Amino acid sequence: MTSPARSTDALVVFSRVHKSYDGTSFAVRGLDLHVRRGEFLTLLGPSGSGKTTTLMMLAGFETPGSGEILFEGRPITGTPPHRRNFGMVFQNYALFPHLTVGGNVCYPLEVRGVPRAERERRAAQALAMVRLEGLSSRRPDQLSGGQRQRVALARALVFEPPLVLMDEPLGALDKQLREHMQVELRELHRRLGTTFLYVTHDQGEALTLSDRVAVFAGGELQQVDTPEALYEQPANRFVAGFVGDAVTLAGTLADSGEPARVALPGGGVLEGVNVQAAAAGTPVLACIRPERIGLLAPGAAAANTVAATALDATYLGDHVRLRCALPGQEPIGVPLPLAALPAPPHGTPVRLELPARHLRLYA
């Protein structure tokens, strides 16, 4: 896990935060996390991993069992939600059906006592920001899902909060609209510079949107890092398997040096990065991203290779996935560029290159 941000960079600090609903199991355990000022930080994990509970504790809708949450250096654990002054965007939009678009966006300003003329000016500005000019008089049921999501976003931004919290805000949208909204959200964040804290279970969404991603599992923070570092240098087996695709080979650590060496059941030996400093003799999983695996041409030589047998090839539009059998392992899939067609037929012996710098060994 990367080291937390310096305190001067941190807008929000979670310090040893625990949360349990039943007194025995933890929804969040020992959370230490810094949210940097102006960043787009995504909390990523499967259902029940603790990411939404973390967001709700920051929003004030849940209370930590122990630990402290700081905002701009001040404890806010006992501060009610309406006094935290954070913007919120939910998956179900939470728009008032009896109000117009303009009325929905004006509402946060109205409850803060902003004069009407100023409310209307700022609401119009917020709607323009999310490209909904001219729709102020419509009601939510007259809008598409993407438009309703934009209204919810404008309402969260209209009072210029220092922090915007988003809980699966694109989850109800279809794939094409979801991808379009991801681009718009990222561009909006760049323009505004407001701190965004975003919750999702979608790995692709997290990698697309974020400056950093915090991966949760079992109530614990597994790793927080940039999308590139998270993908290329996962800190443990969970992150390697959850973020993107990973090919895994079981073996035994033969040498714990740098590079480390892993012995495979079929007799092959591969070099890789000993991520957790495991001792020689430890059973390990060797993990690598599929696109890092190379299919060697007949007669070609390379370091860090294994013998395999071609099983079948599946055409996937932009590439072909060649399924290969290795002794003592589950079959693995190797992506091939279309230029590599035709793929080796069933039963063909092949050699696969797994570059040592991309092969990570986990105990």
Side-chain angles (χ1 to χ4, degrees):
M1 187 185 301
T2 56
S3 59
R6 300 187 306 272
S7 59
T8 54
D9 297 330
L11 181 70
V12 175
V13 175
F14 290 85
S15 179
R16 302 304 300 166
V17 171
H18 291 72
K19 174 65 178 179
S20 176
Y21 292 103
D22 59 12
T24 56
S25 59
F26 285 94
V28 172
R29 182 196 297 268
L31 176 61
D32 287 315
L33 176 65
H34 290 199
V35 183
R36 297 171 182 167
R37 195 179 303 273
E39 78 171 331
F40 196 128
L41 176 66
T42 294
L43 309 184
L44 173 68
S47 297
S49 61
K51 60 188 187 299
T52 296
T53 300
T54 297
L55 187 84
M56 291 303 171
M57 286 191 292
L58 179 54
F61 299 125
E62 298 286 356
T63 303
S66 62
E68 191 66 86
I69 302 174
L70 306 177
F71 178 74
E72 294 188 322
R74 297 186 300 273
I76 59 166
T77 307
T79 305
H82 68 277
R83 294 187 57 195
R84 299 193 183 193
N85 207 36
F86 301 155
M88 287 286 299
V89 183
F90 299 97
Q91 181 176 342
N92 64 358
Y93 317 128
L95 300 178
F96 298 117
H98 63 288
L99 295 181
T100 63
V101 167
N104 270 280
V105 177
C106 280
Y107 181 76
L109 301 175
E110 185 177 352
V111 298
R112 286 168 172 81
V114 176
R116 180 173 180 175
E118 177 66 7
R119 291 202 304 264
E120 292 177 352
R121 184 191 69 79
R122 290 171 64 177
Q125 189 177 50
L127 287 171
M129 191 187 305
V130 296
R131 302 178 188 179
L132 288 179
E133 304 96 323
L135 299 184
S136 181
S137 61
R138 292 193 186 181
R139 295 193 181 274
D141 61 4
Q142 297 175 307
L143 303 177
S144 68
Q147 288 172 329
R148 289 196 295 272
Q149 191 57 271
R150 284 189 178 93
V151 174
L153 186 57
R155 185 179 60 183
L157 294 169
V158 71
F159 60 97
E160 300 176 351
L163 175 65
V164 177
L165 309 179
M166 303 186 194
D167 187 16
E168 302 272 9
L170 308 183
L173 305 181
D174 62 53
K175 181 177 184 294
Q176 186 174 6
L177 182 55
R178 186 179 184 126
E179 291 175 353
H180 178 72
M181 284 296 298
Q182 288 172 12
V183 173
E184 293 213 353
L185 262 181
R186 185 65 178 155
E187 177 57 30
L188 186 63
H189 175 260
R190 286 196 184 101
R191 294 205 316 265
L192 296 178
T194 305
T195 307
F196 283 10
L197 188 65
Y198 191 96
V199 164
T200 186
H201 64 273
D202 186 303
Q203 301 97 318
E205 187 168 275
L207 297 179
T208 298
L209 288 172
S210 313
D211 296 316
R212 290 191 305 152
V213 180
V215 181
F216 283 75
E220 296 185 343
L221 183 61
Q222 304 295 310
Q223 184 175 356
V224 55
D225 225 321
T226 64
E228 181 180 358
L230 201 69
Y231 186 83
E232 298 291 352
Q233 301 165 2
N236 57 42
R237 286 167 53 182
F238 175 82
V239 178
F242 187 74
V243 179
D245 294 329
V247 167
T248 59
L249 302 175
T252 302
L253 201 63
D255 183 346
S256 61
E258 284 295 337
R261 300 168 70 243
V262 58
L264 303 178
V269 176
L270 290 171
E271 293 183 344
V273 181
N274 187 4
V275 178
Q276 297 162 320
T282 303
V284 294
L285 278 183
C287 298
I288 189 170
R289 299 301 183 189
E291 65 271 16
R292 297 296 187 183
I293 301 175
L295 175 66
L296 295 183
N304 235 43
T305 64
V306 292
T309 303
L311 296 177
D312 51 55
T314 303
Y315 177 77
L316 295 173
D318 59 345
H319 72 282
V320 172
R321 180 149 300 217
L322 179 68
R323 201 163 61 99
C324 297
L326 282 76
Q329 310 285 350
E330 293 292 322
I332 67 171
V334 180
L336 304 178
L338 297 182
L341 293 177
H346 176 84
T348 303
V350 296
R351 289 202 71 80
L352 304 176
E353 180 188 10
L354 289 73
R357 68 185 183 278
H358 297 302
L359 189 69
R360 299 178 68 80
L361 312 178
Y362 302 101

